[in-house]
Every structure is written in structure tokens, then in C-alpha cells.
């Protein structure tokens, strides 16, 4: 299944990094690779660069030219990343519930 919504991809990456951090493990990038997420490499790099720029992750270098690109070395979630994850996870769950409820309401 492809995750083509930027917030959904960010939440998936941050959730994995946070779980690794809590378990005291290093992140295995193959679990959040472009192929694992079902997205193109340039989009994947852009997302990592955006998260680094926003302060959501550490261990990621990026270049800010005409196209953002990232060098993901040893990524970890920051407190800002965990807060983003918590806020957006709740919103994604609410959106899913609303879409399910909409199916029960006669139009």
C-alpha cells in the first residue's frame, strides 16, 4: 500500500523512529525506505529534509537547492517530532472515524 500523503508518511517514519528510540535500538532504514513506504526516492528525500528543517528529526543532513535532498545517516526523533506525531496521529484517527461514520449517515 502506498502512503502518498506527506503527513501520513511523516507519521509512519516518526512512529518507527520513536519506537526504536524507546526500545534502545538503532533505526533500520530499510523499514522506512522509499520502497517500504511505496514512494519515489526524491519524494522520500524531500520528506526527510522537511522533517530535519522543522526540527522533527536529528541525524539527517540536507541540501537546500532547487530540490531538497537528504542524507539520512543515523536518524532519531526529537521531542518536536514526537509532539508532531501525537498531534497528527490523533487527527488521522479522527479523520478515519469521520469517514467511516459518513457511511452510516443517510444523505
Amino acid at each position: 500500500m502506498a502512503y502518498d500523503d506527506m503527513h501520513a508518511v511523516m507519521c509512519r517514519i516518526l512512529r518507527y523512529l520513536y519506537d526504536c528510540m524507546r526500545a534502545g535500538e538503532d533505526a533500520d532504514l530499510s523499514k522506512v525506505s522509499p520502497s517500504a513506504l511505496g514512494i519515489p526516492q526524491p519524494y522520500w528525500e524531500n520528506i526527510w529534509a522537511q522533517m530535519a528543517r522543522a526540527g522533527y528529526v536529528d541525524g539527517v543532513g540536507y541540501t537546500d537547492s532547487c530540490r531538497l535532498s537528504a542524507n539520512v545517516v543515523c536518524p532519531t526523533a526529537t521531542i518536536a517530532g514526537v509532539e508532531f506525531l501525537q498531534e497528527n496521529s490523533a487527527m488521522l484517527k479522527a479523520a478515519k472515524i469521520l469517514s467511516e461514520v459518513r457511511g452510516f449517515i443517510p444523505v
Side-chain angles (χ1 to χ4, degrees):
M1 173 196 253
Y3 287 84
D4 58 0
D5 178 357
M6 185 179 247
H7 282 104
V9 173
M10 291 171 67
C11 285
R12 186 165 173 191
I13 291 170
L14 289 168
R15 166 63 53 206
Y16 174 70
L17 294 177
Y18 184 51
D19 289 346
C20 287
M21 186 171 59
R22 290 179 53 200
E25 301 171 354
D26 291 333
D28 175 1
L29 288 178
S30 69
K31 297 194 177 180
V32 288
S33 67
S35 60
L37 297 171
I39 59 176
Q41 177 80 25
Y43 183 48
W44 182 83
E45 288 184 27
N46 187 289
I47 289 171
W48 278 102
Q50 295 283 351
M51 289 193 301
R53 180 191 281 172
Y56 297 155
V57 293
D58 283 333
V60 177
Y62 65 93
T63 57
D64 196 356
S65 59
C66 62
R67 178 178 77 80
L68 282 173
S69 62
N71 181 22
V72 183
V73 180
C74 186
T76 58
T78 64
I79 189 66
V82 173
E83 290 169 353
F84 172 88
L85 174 65
Q86 291 171 342
E87 292 169 6
N88 282 283
S89 292
M91 289 186 348
L92 290 171
K93 287 178 187 174
K96 182 178 178 186
I97 290 169
L98 287 174
S99 68
E100 291 172 358
V101 169
R102 193 176 324 158
F104 296 113
I105 299 173
V107 182

